[in-house]
Amino acid sequence: MRIAVDAMGGDNAPKAIVEGVMLAKKEFPDIAFQLYGKENEIKKYVTDESQITIIHTDEKINSDDEPVKAIRRKKTASMVLAAQAVKEGRADAIFSAGNTGALLAAGLFIVGRIKGIDRPGLMSTMPVIGKDAGFDMLDLGANADNKPEHLVNYAVLGTFYAQKVRGINTPRVGLLNNGTEETKGSELTKKAFELLSAEPSIHFIGNVEARELLNGAADVVVTDGFTGNAVLKSIEGTALNLMGLLKSSIMDAGVKGKLGAVLLKDALRNVKNEMDYAKHGGAVLFGLKAPVIKTHGSTGPEAVAYTIKQIHTMLETDVVAQLVAHYETTTATEVSQSE
Amino acid sequence: MRIAVDAMGGDNAPKAIVEGVMLAKKEFPDIAFQLYGKENEIKKYVTDESQITIIHTDEKINSDDEPVKAIRRKKTASMVLAAQAVKEGRADAIFSAGNTGALLAAGLFIVGRIKGIDRPGLMSTMPVIGKDAGFDMLDLGANADNKPEHLVNYAVLGTFYAQKVRGINTPRVGLLNNGTEETKGSELTKKAFELLSAEPSIHFIGNVEARELLNGAADVVVTDGFTGNAVLKSIEGTALNLMGLLKSSIMDAGVKGKLGAVLLKDALRNVKNEMDYAKHGGAVLFGLKAPVIKTHGSTGPEAVAYTIKQIHTMLETDVVAQLVAHYETTTATEVSQSE
């Protein structure tokens, strides 16, 4: 399998990206990596050239570039070249830690949508606290406005991912809503509830509330991109603030605090590990003809390696091809039924 | 000032409610409390009868009652009688820890809206971490669907509250959005951004992201009720889960963990205190002709006392009357302009 890597994307690029690739290739000798970016800079971190091809380009997309413009005008940017390789069948997946909006645009306009999926969604596997588990949530912000039908797409996408990539037989799909009762919700979620209830290819368990997400209320959580984005950022912001507050409170407690912190080192590390969802990989722009994966701009080599593992599983299980087949069958059935 | 108290609302009623009233009345000799509910049960906790009037009723609204039906059918429920007292000018404010939906319905249908405010919003003062401050956010879920105009109402309501009740001269109003750039957002937030920018009675600072709320990105944060509800529950869920995880990790660390926890007792208490926004009072259903205030069903006497302090400030500063005057002037101006 061939992964196109935007080596220039992210705050610590190309160092963190290339070091992550070096970590990952030890584990996955079956991956051929294509590193797009400045050859001289990339080469500094290539400790072993096997499985590696560098495709040189001087141009890159910056974090403050306007996404769609950047994709259209910077035709030789590392991200654009990587996406082009996927489009033209020279690579099987693309990975970037760069400008999220630009990667979404590259995914939509260069890699292209699966037929039957109107609005691909951004999906991450988030942590379930106290269990070695996670839940997949989408859309996390690829779209600012969604229709009820999109949420059904997300339920199907999330189900396929949870089954194939995370190995859950019958993933429980929940609809994020403002109450668990069937009658609750906005115009959007009420209609989505109806459609999800009628969808045969998923196991819909009803509404779930944001308060219960980290408790594992569902294996797949579907929501519109605006709400998903707000929920993701609320969870991240609260966790960061609480851990920061704990740290500063410990510091302020002087010698006693420092001693306490030493004794609680393992416990505190456990808390941090549980919340760290980078181990599940990056965010997938899901619903495209190939895996398009994004990690945080501030990502380090280990998170890059986790993400490559995730892409490896996506390619190994051929989840995208199965989605394509699913939508072809569904569309064919619908057409034959309507004839 | 006269506060109508639904003594039967909440999981620990009437005990927690009446005990909270007893705490509060020491601090506020100028409040006359009307306690609605079962006289015999209430009396058990009335340690001093000054400032207290009990209005007996056997009926109450349960937490699983369908809100609007309950308000219409249970005409002598403690919550309904309390709301009626406000409507008829026999009390100045109503407080309940009972069924949220029913209190919203009682507020809308019995107490009534301020002229010019189409959709009252549910507002709480949330914590800003590391500072002795907070931010007011609305709508937290009184409505499932909002129009851009409602968000302007919320900005005005929040501004008045932050100024009068929290003593902030020029509250910074932020619009919760999926990015800080002006061009970001859903159809709703883009239009709301325009309207907020043009509203002369507020100090609009632009978009804020959910990740920055607890850092004090704004003094007043406006959003639609669906998103607000999801964000509030995400923050609560994450904080609860993290504190729970920390506790269980400490327990699992054996003797070392217990000793560490003893040494860090003050630091851990500090974290808990910072996140505890009950000190700012309950949630206000804001935009009604009188203060209608809700606290958590699981609330204890201290949180009840904090909420009564909040109501005291709302009545003392006459914030609702000032809002009424504001909207009368605005409406009058609009009418004269359109003539």
Side-chain angles (χ1 to χ4, degrees):
Chain A
M1 48 188 77
R2 303 155 302 167
I3 302 181
V5 177
D6 169 17
M8 307 311 285
D11 309 338
N12 312 314
K15 186 173 187 290
I17 310 300
V18 180
E19 286 178 354
V21 166
M22 292 298 129
L23 283 176
K25 83 189 182 86
K26 286 180 207 159
E27 201 180 336
F28 302 111
D30 58 338
I31 302 178
F33 293 95
Q34 302 166 5
L35 307 186
Y36 292 81
K38 291 196 176 174
E39 187 164 15
N40 287 345
E41 288 188 37
I42 292 171
K43 268 197 165 163
K44 284 185 211 164
Y45 310 102
V46 175
T47 50
D48 165 10
E49 289 183 13
S50 68
Q51 304 170 239
I52 303 287
T53 311
I54 300 174
I55 297 93
H56 174 78
T57 178
D58 278 322
E59 202 170 28
K60 65 168 186 156
I61 290 173
N62 299 313
S63 60
D64 56 353
D65 280 346
E66 204 282 304
V68 178
K69 268 187 206 161
I71 289 298
R72 289 197 173 142
R73 291 184 188 166
K74 292 185 164 180
K75 292 203 186 298
T76 62
S78 53
M79 186 193 283
V80 174
L81 292 182
Q84 212 79 43
V86 174
K87 184 191 178 178
E88 291 163 11
R90 288 176 281 115
D92 305 307
I94 167 174
F95 162 69
S96 175
N99 184 320
T100 307
L103 187 63
L104 297 182
L108 287 170
F109 301 133
I110 302 175
V111 177
R113 291 180 285 116
I114 291 174
K115 207 179 160 179
I117 296 180
D118 201 23
R119 296 283 196 101
L122 197 62
M123 184 191 79
S124 274
T125 305
M126 314 269 292
V128 172
I129 301 295
K131 282 174 198 157
D132 190 21
F135 65 95
D136 293 309
M137 183 157 158
L138 72 171
D139 175 20
L140 296 176
N143 305 283
D145 291 288
N146 279 117
K147 292 185 178 152
E149 293 75 16
H150 303 155
L151 272 58
V152 181
N153 280 166
Y154 297 156
V156 173
L157 289 166
T159 296
F160 267 78
Y161 189 88
Q163 278 176 339
K164 311 299 171 193
V165 180
R166 297 204 297 123
I168 299 168
N169 277 334
T170 313
R172 298 163 301 141
V173 176
L175 170 66
L176 186 73
N177 212 336
N178 58 1
T180 52
E181 304 89 336
E182 249 186 65
T183 54
K184 282 273 186 172
S186 60
E187 285 171 27
L188 173 70
T189 57
K190 281 181 187 167
K191 183 70 187 160
F193 189 100
E194 266 182 53
L195 297 178
L196 288 164
S197 302
E199 171 61 37
S201 66
I202 60 164
H203 174 45
F204 181 53
I205 60 163
N207 293 325
V208 295
E209 289 198 82
R211 201 186 275 116
E212 303 301 329
L213 295 181
L214 299 181
N215 297 334
D219 301 308
V220 173
V221 176
V222 297
T223 184
D224 67 281
F226 190 86
T227 309
N229 189 265
V231 165
L232 173 71
K233 286 174 181 167
S234 299
I235 293 174
E236 286 182 349
T238 308
L240 276 174
N241 264 291
L242 263 179
M243 293 307 284
L245 175 61
L246 183 62
K247 207 171 166 184
S248 67
S249 300
I250 289 173
M251 292 298 192
D252 291 348
V255 178
K256 216 168 68 170
K258 287 201 184 73
L259 187 59
V262 170
L263 289 166
L264 287 183
K265 204 175 152 189
D266 295 342
L268 294 173
R269 190 186 294 134
N270 182 44
V271 173
K272 220 180 153 187
N273 281 345
E274 286 257 1
M275 285 305 291
D276 178 22
Y277 60 96
K279 63 189 169 200
H280 295 294
V284 185
L285 180 60
F286 214 26
L288 300 177
K289 288 179 187 158
V292 174
I293 317 284
K294 169 75 177 66
T295 65
H296 265 293
S298 60
T299 209
E302 270 160 35
V304 171
Y306 286 135
T307 303
I308 288 166
K309 184 181 176 176
Q310 170 195 22
I311 300 173
H312 187 267
T313 313
M314 288 185 74
L315 292 176
E316 205 175 30
T317 57
D318 220 6
V319 60
V320 170
Q322 294 185 41
L323 270 167
V324 172
H326 170 85
Y327 276 102
E328 271 172 4
T329 319
T330 317
T331 316
T333 315
E334 276 166 11
V335 170
S336 74
Q337 278 176 344
S338 67
E339 271 166 8
Chain B
M1 48 187 78
R2 304 155 302 169
I3 302 181
V5 176
D6 170 16
M8 307 311 285
D11 309 337
N12 312 313
K15 186 173 186 290
I17 310 299
V18 181
E19 286 178 355
V21 166
M22 292 298 130
L23 282 177
K25 82 188 182 83
K26 285 179 207 159
E27 201 181 335
F28 302 110
D30 58 338
I31 303 178
F33 292 95
Q34 303 167 6
L35 306 186
Y36 292 81
K38 290 196 178 175
E39 186 163 16
N40 287 345
E41 288 187 38
I42 292 171
K43 267 196 166 162
K44 283 186 213 164
Y45 309 102
V46 175
T47 50
D48 167 8
E49 288 182 14
S50 68
Q51 306 171 237
I52 304 288
T53 311
I54 300 174
I55 296 94
H56 173 77
T57 179
D58 278 322
E59 201 169 31
K60 66 167 184 156
I61 291 173
N62 299 315
S63 61
D64 55 353
D65 279 347
E66 204 282 306
V68 178
K69 269 188 205 161
I71 289 298
R72 289 196 174 143
R73 291 182 190 170
K74 293 186 164 180
K75 291 199 186 301
T76 62
S78 53
M79 187 194 282
V80 175
L81 292 182
Q84 212 78 46
V86 174
K87 184 191 178 177
E88 291 163 9
R90 288 177 282 114
D92 305 307
I94 168 174
F95 163 69
S96 175
N99 184 321
T100 307
L103 187 64
L104 297 183
L108 287 171
F109 301 134
I110 302 174
V111 176
R113 290 180 285 117
I114 292 174
K115 205 177 161 181
I117 296 180
D118 201 22
R119 296 284 195 100
L122 197 62
M123 184 191 78
S124 275
T125 305
M126 315 268 293
V128 172
I129 302 294
K131 283 174 197 157
D132 189 21
F135 65 95
D136 294 309
M137 184 157 157
L138 72 170
D139 174 20
L140 296 175
N143 304 283
D145 291 290
N146 278 118
K147 293 187 176 148
E149 293 75 17
H150 303 154
L151 272 58
V152 181
N153 280 167
Y154 298 154
V156 174
L157 289 166
T159 295
F160 267 79
Y161 188 88
Q163 277 177 339
K164 311 299 172 194
V165 181
R166 296 202 298 124
I168 298 169
N169 277 335
T170 313
R172 297 163 303 142
V173 176
L175 170 66
L176 186 72
N177 213 335
N178 58 0
T180 52
E181 303 88 337
E182 250 187 63
T183 54
K184 283 273 185 173
S186 61
E187 284 171 28
L188 172 71
T189 57
K190 281 181 188 170
K191 182 70 187 163
F193 189 100
E194 265 182 56
L195 298 177
L196 289 164
S197 301
E199 171 61 39
S201 67
I202 61 165
H203 174 44
F204 181 53
I205 59 163
N207 293 324
V208 295
E209 289 198 79
R211 198 186 277 117
E212 302 301 329
L213 296 181
L214 299 182
N215 297 333
D219 300 307
V220 173
V221 176
V222 296
T223 183
D224 68 281
F226 189 86
T227 308
N229 189 265
V231 165
L232 174 70
K233 285 173 181 167
S234 299
I235 292 174
E236 286 181 349
T238 307
L240 277 173
N241 264 292
L242 262 180
M243 294 308 285
L245 174 62
L246 183 62
K247 207 172 165 182
S248 67
S249 298
I250 289 173
M251 293 299 192
D252 291 348
V255 177
K256 217 169 69 170
K258 287 199 184 75
L259 186 58
V262 170
L263 290 166
L264 287 184
K265 203 174 151 189
D266 295 343
L268 295 172
R269 189 187 295 134
N270 182 44
V271 173
K272 218 178 154 190
N273 281 346
E274 286 258 0
M275 285 305 292
D276 177 24
Y277 61 96
K279 64 189 169 198
H280 295 293
V284 185
L285 180 60
F286 214 29
L288 300 176
K289 288 177 186 158
V292 174
I293 317 281
K294 170 74 177 64
T295 65
H296 265 293
S298 59
T299 209
E302 268 159 37
V304 171
Y306 286 134
T307 304
I308 289 166
K309 183 180 176 177
Q310 171 195 22
I311 300 173
H312 187 267
T313 313
M314 287 185 74
L315 293 175
E316 204 175 30
T317 57
D318 221 4
V319 61
V320 170
Q322 293 185 42
L323 270 167
V324 172
H326 170 85
Y327 276 102
E328 272 171 3
T329 319
T330 317
T331 317
T333 315
E334 276 167 10
V335 171
S336 76
Q337 278 176 344
S338 67
E339 272 168 5

